[in-house]
Amino acid sequence: MQNTSFSCWWLVIPAAVAGLVYLLAPVLMPFVIGALLAYLADPLADRLEAWKLGRTTAVVIVFGLLLLLLIVVLLIVIPALERQVSRFLADLPRYLGWIRDTLIPWLEARLGIDLAEYDPRAVVELLQQDWQRAGGIAAAVAGSLTRSGAVILGWLMNALLIPVVTFYLLRDWDRLVAGVAGLLPRRTLPTAARLAREADEVLGVFLRGQLSVMVALGVIYSVGLALVGLNTAMVIGMIAGIISFIPYLGTFVGVVLGVLAALVQFHDLWHAGLVLAVFGVGQLLEGMILTPLLVGDRIGLNPVTVIFAVMAGGQLFGFLGVLLALPAASVIMVLLRHAHELYKASAWYA
């Protein structure tokens, strides 16, 4: 009877935690972001600490690198992306005109279907009106901030809390992990420690390794397409890099967008071939260097699992659920694997 009640507690505790997350979602956002940043930066802080640096000194160095990266993104990457998106929308009539005058007649002749009712100009007008109404990324954010003093205060509080939470969690990360381990029952500690290591390995492979591969591919594609001469090189390259965690999808989307942009901009097959060469080189670098070096031969979360986890988290808890989806999915996958091992070793299975 005691074991049954103990097992019931293990069912009640996750439900209670999920309920608290749902109720406290607006408050938890800066803490979750800070915890994810601290988790990602902890290995680097540990390496610096191993070089005979104090924990606080190592954390200050890592924190400075994070702030420098944020400043670079805010001052260089985002304005460049906004300029290329604006240029893409300005050139959109040319893209859709090529589709209407060249691609659609070719498809009608080859496939024997009637696409005459398709009018791409409506898409152009809708996108351009929305972009002009928003006034760009920076103007859209500024407009949303100025609608309400409470919104401004909330954004400022989050902006101030995230670096503070990240700093203190990163400084005390090892002590917090040891404290959680100290609360576990002694007889379950070896199993819990093994499961925690497996969950950390799976989550680390995806968040650290795969994220590094995504960024590297985005840079490679953007630089390569810029050398080809595409006006929207950064937009296409970053899109292909971001969705490259799904095998072949990033390359497929990048090739389609890149070839279409090259055909519309240059009107020849030579530049389209160069685009294909860029993505071919990117695939070779990913398979031979990036994935073995940054991810290794350990397979992380299945791409289908990643997509479902992110969509389910967003549906249940909004943007906070999106942030928590991958950590929760990695832990659940490890627990299911452990449950499968127990089931295979049980007398009932035998």
Side-chain angles (χ1 to χ4, degrees):
M1 186 69 178
Q2 184 178 1
N3 291 335
T4 303
S5 62
F6 182 75
S7 300
C8 292
W9 275 109
W10 282 105
L11 297 177
V12 172
I13 290 175
V17 171
L20 285 175
V21 170
Y22 180 78
L23 294 175
L24 299 177
V27 181
L28 290 177
M29 185 69 66
F31 298 95
V32 171
I33 295 176
L36 288 175
L37 291 175
Y39 173 78
L40 291 173
D42 179 64
L44 180 57
D46 290 340
R47 290 187 180 183
L48 293 176
E49 194 176 4
W51 294 348
K52 307 304 180 183
L53 294 176
R55 180 68 181 184
T56 302
T57 303
V59 170
V60 168
I61 294 175
V62 174
F63 198 73
L65 293 175
L66 289 176
L67 288 179
L68 180 61
L69 178 63
L70 178 62
I71 291 173
V72 170
V73 171
L74 291 178
L75 296 182
I76 299 177
V77 177
I78 290 181
L81 280 174
E82 182 177 353
R83 287 194 298 270
Q84 290 209 357
V85 170
S86 299
R87 182 182 299 173
F88 171 76
L89 292 177
D91 293 339
L92 200 55
R94 294 173 51 204
Y95 286 83
L96 297 184
W98 181 85
I99 293 175
R100 183 185 63 249
D101 300 333
T102 304
L103 181 60
I104 290 180
W106 185 86
L107 291 175
E108 289 178 340
R110 295 297 187 278
L111 303 179
I113 57 178
D114 185 13
L115 299 175
E117 296 180 357
Y118 173 74
D119 185 10
R121 288 176 295 182
V123 179
V124 177
E125 295 176 358
L126 180 61
L127 291 175
Q128 289 180 334
Q129 288 175 2
D130 289 341
W131 186 255
Q132 291 172 358
R133 190 180 302 115
I137 298 173
V141 173
S144 65
L145 289 177
T146 55
R147 293 191 189 104
S148 169
V151 175
I152 296 176
L153 182 61
W155 274 76
L156 289 177
M157 289 297 295
N158 287 337
L160 293 175
L161 274 177
I162 289 174
V164 172
V165 170
T166 302
F167 179 84
Y168 284 108
L169 284 180
L170 184 57
R171 190 192 66 177
D172 300 331
W173 188 266
D174 295 336
R175 187 162 50 186
L176 291 173
V177 172
V180 173
L183 294 175
L184 297 174
R186 296 299 90 184
R187 64 187 180 87
T188 63
L189 184 59
T191 301
R194 180 174 67 86
L195 295 178
R197 284 194 299 269
E198 292 181 8
D200 176 69
E201 184 178 3
V202 173
L203 185 60
V205 164
F206 189 85
L207 287 185
R208 297 190 186 101
Q210 191 61 46
L211 182 62
S212 300
V213 172
M214 290 160 58
V215 173
L217 285 177
V219 172
I220 292 171
Y221 292 150
S222 298
V223 172
L225 295 177
L227 293 176
V228 172
L230 291 186
N231 293 331
T232 55
M234 181 176 289
V235 174
I236 297 174
M238 288 302 172
I239 290 175
I242 288 173
I243 60 178
S244 63
F245 69 93
I246 304 176
Y248 307 112
L249 180 61
T251 302
F252 175 77
V253 173
V255 166
V256 171
L257 295 178
V259 169
L260 178 61
L263 291 174
V264 173
Q265 182 176 340
F266 299 104
H267 304 288
D268 59 46
L269 295 177
W270 167 249
H271 288 87
L274 292 178
V275 169
L276 294 176
V278 168
F279 283 97
V281 171
Q283 282 294 293
L284 289 176
L285 292 176
E286 178 187 8
M288 299 177 63
I289 299 177
L290 295 178
T291 298
L293 180 64
L294 299 175
V295 178
D297 56 1
R298 165 84 179 176
I299 299 177
L301 295 174
N302 185 275
V304 177
T305 304
V306 172
I307 297 172
F308 176 78
V310 171
M311 294 182 65
Q315 178 67 29
L316 294 175
F317 304 107
F319 184 69
L320 179 65
V322 174
L323 294 178
L324 292 174
L326 293 179
S330 65
V331 173
I332 292 172
M333 189 182 74
V334 171
L335 293 177
L336 289 176
R337 186 187 304 157
H338 179 64
H340 180 260
E341 292 174 357
L342 294 178
Y343 168 68
K344 294 294 287 290
S346 66
W348 187 40
Y349 175 79

